[in-house]
Amino acid sequence: MIDSDTARRIADKVDVAEVADLTSALANIPSFSGEEGPVGRFVAERMVGLGFDTVETQQVEPGRFNVIGTMRGDGSGLSFMFNGHLDVDPIPLGYDRPLWQSSIEDGWLYGVGVGNMKGADAAMIMAAVAVKRSGVPLKGDIVVACVVGELQGGVGTVHLLDNNPLPDLAIVPEPTNLQIRTMHAGVLEALVVVRAKAGRSGVSKAIDAALRAMNALHALEFTHEPHAALPGLPRMHVGSIMGGDVKRERRGDVDMSDSCTLAIDLRLHPGMTEEGAVADIEALLKRLAAADPDMEYEFLPPPAAYAAPWRAMGIYMPPLELAEDHPLVSLTSDWHRHVTGETPQVGMHMPGSHAGADSGHLWRRGVPCFNYGPSQHSRFYNEIALSKIEHGTKVMALTAADLCGRAKDTVDFGR
Amino acid sequence: MDHDGDILRALDANRRDFGENPARSPVDTAGQWAAFLRECGFGDVSLDRISPQTINAVGAIRGDGSKRPLLLCGRLDAGTERRVLVSMARAARAVADSGFSRSRDIFVVGCSGREGISKLPDSIDPLPEIAITAGDGLGTSRPSALHVVLSIRGKPAWIGNRHMLSNIHAIEKAAAAVEAIDKGGVAGEGACPAPRVSVQGIIGGLTEDHVVWRPAMVPDHCSMVLKVELAPDLTASQAIGWIRAALDRQAEADSDLSYFLDLEPGEAHAFANLVPLAPAYLVDEDHPLVVACHRRDAQFSSPDEDVVPVVAATQDAALLGAAGITAISYGAPEPRAAKVLALTIADMVT
């Protein structure tokens, strides 16, 4: 536990203008999923300049890489990770601000992707820097992982966890408006391909069958025990459909439109498993096939990442459920109160708890973690309040310094 | 005229003399078909070279010319039609061999694809009055068809939003709209239970708010190419009016539903290059050719072998019909097909 003087010393090292400057710089570099190379190079260079003890660039696939900066402890403490993604959401139609030109107006910073989550990326980087600048000694490492491909299901984080030592604890600063989100959904995106076995019919039986399958999928009762905190889950829908030969031949009318593909999105609550949900869906498709022998149903979970024409998740994203009284939650809540004077909401946080996040991958591997970030859900994710950036950076810095300042054998943080 | 016994005996003799396949080789090219016709007893056989890849093989049996010819034809590139073609040739030969005088020339033509069929009206002189095309069942009418693009609009949202979203789901709305159209159908005439609407192509997803499709987003748009088949006695405008009425009823019941019906879909659509569809075609049920074929088919039906179903005529029949030839399509299992065809031919030429 750090004392109030030390806390002040750390907080004083957070310069909101500097965090905002880094946020703006990040937001001015395009980084859609798969195109994070330039922003990754920028982050790596900036981390070196800011005095991180080590900066690792970890190639996930050619041209895109995770950037992992570490402030080293003496090895006797817990390792603590901030995990933020560098890829940004697609820009919706109707976005009316200049692209890749961030700006500050009336206490708000505007720029592409600052809400999800370049503002948070800057905050976690500068939180670690503030700790370093404060001179507070660290026993454990503060690891700042800027990952690629979260919007693809978390391919960057999975690569990171496959190839690096697991941290003891983590915070994933997804947009929560500085509330502590300890639970969120798992996300499974998949394709259901409906094929007609019959020959030239003049009628697309496959499309008709796919529409029937869609209605059946929407009505599917999954095998599960309802989750008290997330009663809206599980939830599944057909998000896209393509049938006929419209893609291959750009023709709507063919004698045999023998295939129709449904792209589905399923949100699972933390009491469910991917295997169980898949079994329920496959059982349904099997029943449909038995009722209509002219049809074949193929379930492809999940589709290739960003396989045209869908922008779909490439891997399954597991759910998260951390106990609300976990010591990491308590510690962060304390520092949140210290900085803001308010008690953060803990637990389910809507609508984000119906979303997936990289925290699911950490949680699946046994790393206690939650979401706590300075921005909030919005249509464009292009805005963040400077006051939230400042508070968030300070809380993250204090939490990291507190955790990593303790000897490993003096604390029990659930790992 | 009581010629049935003689003709059926001639048919048996033809089969006995030449076997099931006199040419003993596939008859899937014009040359093979011409050889088959000669072996089957046709003395007047010619090749009509339309293009390097399109050659029709024509067998002719001459009549006295008092009436315009009877044409029997089918495609050499379709297996089922080749079998009917063999029956046609055998049947025509039996009619000739039975010795009755004939008022018409009989042409049996194996054609190279649709292009070969389409050239028949120009290559046979005089233009045949009646025709039977190789088919499956008895086809006397064919619906017309048109394409329309139906676009359904819902509202965009993210799947994770708190409230249930099925009421705005555009693909669900599209499925419901198709069902409503389907249920609102009216009976067509004869063989065509049209208007019948089928979905030939479908694209749905989130298109309004984002530039890419995301399964995570509730789809706000769904477009479908509908193929609308009309009984020959219905017009396109009647069908469109009927579709609109069904959609309007849907929209009345669902304030979140809006739709757009594009009656002339063009290149701008995702469904580009829609092929033109055939116009309607109908031969009167009391036309002598239809009556003869129907009666002869019934003659050879049995408890084990029903009369052939009345089906939509082949495109080839409709194509010949558009050229001024009264054409039906016919096909049945052997040996029944040859018997029915032989007696029908006899009814029409003697």
Side-chain angles (χ1 to χ4, degrees):
Chain A
M1 186 72 183
I2 53 180
D3 59 35
S4 57
D5 283 346
T6 306
R8 188 180 308 112
R9 204 162 80 231
I10 294 169
D12 285 348
K13 295 299 179 185
V14 172
D15 178 354
V16 66
E18 195 177 9
V19 188
D21 176 66
L22 179 55
T23 303
S24 296
L26 293 172
N28 291 346
I29 303 172
S31 61
F32 297 118
S33 301
E35 302 167 8
E36 303 96 330
V39 77
R41 277 187 285 277
F42 171 84
V43 168
E45 287 171 13
R46 181 61 69 96
M47 281 180 165
V48 170
L50 287 168
F52 276 79
D53 295 325
T54 63
V55 178
E56 177 192 357
T57 54
Q58 180 182 58
Q59 181 171 288
V60 177
E61 59 181 47
R64 56 195 304 230
F65 42 86
N66 297 327
V67 183
I68 306 126
T70 304
M71 298 298 191
R72 291 282 179 212
D74 63 15
S76 62
L78 298 166
S79 66
F80 175 64
M81 175 184 282
F82 290 116
N83 178 301
H85 60 85
L86 294 172
D87 53 337
V88 296
D89 293 277
I91 300 169
L93 296 177
Y95 186 94
D96 57 1
R97 288 185 173 272
L99 295 177
W100 322 118
Q101 294 176 42
S102 50
S103 59
I104 293 176
E105 297 170 27
D106 300 328
W108 287 79
L109 194 160
Y110 297 93
V112 176
V114 298
N116 189 25
M117 55 186 294
K118 287 182 169 173
D121 291 335
M124 66 186 193
I125 292 170
M126 296 313 299
V129 170
V131 175
K132 170 96 171 187
R133 287 175 178 169
S134 72
V136 172
L138 296 177
K139 298 184 184 305
D141 294 346
I142 301 174
V143 180
V144 179
C146 296
V147 298
V148 301
E150 192 267 353
L151 296 159
Q152 294 171 301
V155 293
T157 289
V158 169
H159 189 84
L160 172 72
L161 300 179
D162 282 345
N163 293 282
N164 287 44
L166 290 178
D168 291 306
L169 300 156
I171 288 178
V172 179
E174 285 280 335
T176 67
N177 200 25
L178 295 184
Q179 308 303 311
I180 296 176
R181 187 170 71 205
T182 58
M183 66 181 72
H184 64 64
V187 182
L188 175 68
E189 293 190 339
L191 301 181
V192 175
V193 182
V194 182
R195 292 194 181 90
K197 287 185 198 167
R200 298 161 70 92
S201 63
V203 177
S204 175
K205 293 179 178 178
I207 295 176
D208 288 346
L211 291 174
R212 285 196 300 275
M214 175 189 71
N215 289 332
L217 286 164
H218 285 178
L220 177 60
E221 297 279 350
F222 283 95
T223 308
H224 75 111
E225 290 295 325
H227 193 287
L230 295 169
L233 301 179
R235 175 176 295 186
M236 177 170 67
H237 79 173
V238 171
S240 304
I241 186 170
M242 177 173 278
D245 268 7
V246 286
K247 184 181 172 195
R248 192 178 61 198
E249 296 184 3
R250 307 291 291 171
R251 281 174 55 175
D253 180 50
V254 289
D255 284 341
M256 184 175 67
S257 301
D258 60 352
S259 175
C260 188
T261 302
L262 309 172
I264 65 171
D265 185 295
L266 167 63
R267 307 279 151 152
L268 301 79
H269 65 64
M272 300 173 70
T273 64
E274 176 190 15
E275 294 75 18
V278 166
D280 283 341
I281 294 170
E282 287 182 332
L284 170 69
L285 297 178
K286 206 171 175 183
R287 287 197 297 276
L288 291 173
D292 189 349
D294 289 339
M295 293 296 136
E296 286 177 349
Y297 298 83
E298 188 178 4
F299 184 56
L300 304 171
Y306 290 65
W310 293 282
R311 179 182 172 279
M313 288 187 174
I315 57 174
Y316 170 62
M317 194 168 241
L320 163 73
E321 185 169 31
L322 179 71
E324 293 180 15
D325 59 355
H326 189 277
L328 178 62
V329 175
S330 307
L331 187 77
T332 308
S333 295
D334 289 346
W335 288 118
H336 179 93
R337 263 191 302 275
H338 176 90
V339 171
T340 68
E342 296 171 355
T343 301
Q345 178 192 325
V346 175
M348 184 265 293
H349 183 261
M350 293 300 289
S353 283
H354 280 177
D358 275 333
S359 33
H361 293 298
L362 287 154
W363 176 244
R364 193 183 216 188
R365 310 229 182 178
V367 179
C369 61
F370 55 74
N371 302 134
Y372 175 83
S375 60
Q376 57 190 342
H377 272 275
S378 67
R379 183 179 177 208
F380 296 125
Y381 284 123
N382 72 328
E383 60 194 17
I384 188 166
L386 293 177
S387 60
K388 297 282 184 184
I389 288 185
E390 180 179 6
H391 288 161
T393 307
K394 287 179 176 176
V395 174
M396 286 193 268
L398 291 166
T399 301
D402 195 349
L403 275 171
C404 296
R406 304 177 187 215
K408 190 178 277 185
D409 55 3
T410 64
V411 293
D412 179 7
F413 275 87
R415 280 213 75 214
Chain B
M1 185 181 294
D2 184 19
H3 44 41
D4 293 13
D6 291 342
I7 291 170
L8 293 176
R9 276 190 291 281
L11 194 59
D12 285 341
N14 183 282
R15 180 174 288 111
R16 192 172 56 245
D17 292 347
F18 297 107
E20 288 303 317
N21 180 357
R24 288 181 175 75
S25 67
V27 285
D28 53 0
T29 68
Q32 290 163 348
W33 179 245
F36 166 78
L37 288 172
R38 289 192 191 94
E39 289 190 34
C40 200
F42 280 78
D44 185 351
V45 177
S46 60
L47 290 175
D48 184 8
R49 189 177 299 272
I50 296 155
S51 71
Q53 280 76 41
T54 307
I55 305 169
N56 291 341
V58 185
I61 296 170
R62 298 297 172 184
D64 64 15
S66 58
K67 292 182 181 174
R68 282 161 53 200
L70 164 65
L71 169 64
L72 307 165
C73 62
R75 299 190 196 188
L76 293 170
D77 57 344
T80 51
E81 295 200 14
R82 282 201 301 271
R83 285 194 291 277
V84 180
L85 265 173
V86 170
S87 300
M88 286 174 164
R90 202 185 294 288
R93 200 53 256 167
V95 171
D97 293 344
S98 65
F100 295 101
S101 62
R102 299 177 295 277
S103 57
R104 308 174 188 273
D105 293 345
I106 304 170
F107 291 94
V108 185
V109 187
C111 299
S112 295
R114 185 182 293 187
E115 190 183 354
I117 295 277
S118 69
K119 295 294 181 186
L120 287 176
D122 298 329
S123 60
I124 297 176
D125 187 31
L127 180 72
E129 182 184 0
I130 50 179
I132 303 176
T133 65
D136 184 10
L138 175 59
T140 60
S141 63
R142 186 171 181 82
S144 65
L146 68 152
H147 280 131
V148 298
V149 171
L150 173 60
S151 298
I152 297 285
R153 302 305 303 268
K155 290 181 177 175
W158 176 56
I159 184 178
N161 282 359
R162 208 180 265 277
H163 303 294
M164 193 52 219
L165 304 164
S166 62
N167 59 327
I168 61 171
H169 196 284
I171 303 172
E172 272 196 9
K173 290 181 187 299
V178 170
E179 196 179 338
I181 291 169
D182 218 28
K183 282 183 179 166
V186 295
E189 180 176 332
C192 305
R196 182 178 69 170
V197 175
S198 54
V199 184
Q200 298 286 304
I202 186 167
I203 296 177
L206 186 80
T207 55
E208 172 68 12
D209 206 34
H210 291 69
V211 290
V212 292
W213 288 3
R214 302 175 65 186
M217 302 300 290
V218 178
D220 71 336
H221 184 266
C222 187
S223 284
M224 295 175 288
V225 170
L226 302 181
K227 183 178 182 180
V228 183
E229 292 176 271
L230 306 170
D233 59 333
L234 284 184
T235 65
S237 59
Q238 284 174 309
I240 296 303
W242 157 72
I243 290 171
R244 280 195 193 284
L247 292 170
D248 287 343
R249 282 195 297 275
Q250 283 292 105
E252 231 172 75
D254 178 358
S255 59
D256 288 325
L257 169 71
S258 61
Y259 75 88
F260 175 70
L261 205 53
D262 187 348
L263 305 182
E264 295 178 351
E267 292 292 317
H269 264 288
F271 311 102
N273 304 327
L274 292 172
V275 294
L277 297 173
Y281 180 65
L282 175 67
V283 180
D284 289 340
E285 283 182 14
D286 55 358
H287 188 281
L289 179 62
V290 177
V291 171
C293 194
H294 212 345
R295 182 169 71 88
R296 294 305 192 177
D297 186 73
Q299 183 179 335
F300 291 98
S301 67
S302 68
D304 296 331
E305 201 173 3
D306 289 339
V307 291
V308 297
V310 175
V311 296
T314 59
Q315 284 187 8
D316 295 342
L319 205 148
L320 296 175
I325 302 170
T326 299
I328 64 172
S329 55
Y330 181 77
E334 277 303 321
R336 178 172 164 185
K339 292 176 183 175
V340 171
L341 284 165
L343 297 181
T344 303
I345 293 166
D347 288 343
M348 302 311 297
V349 303
T350 59

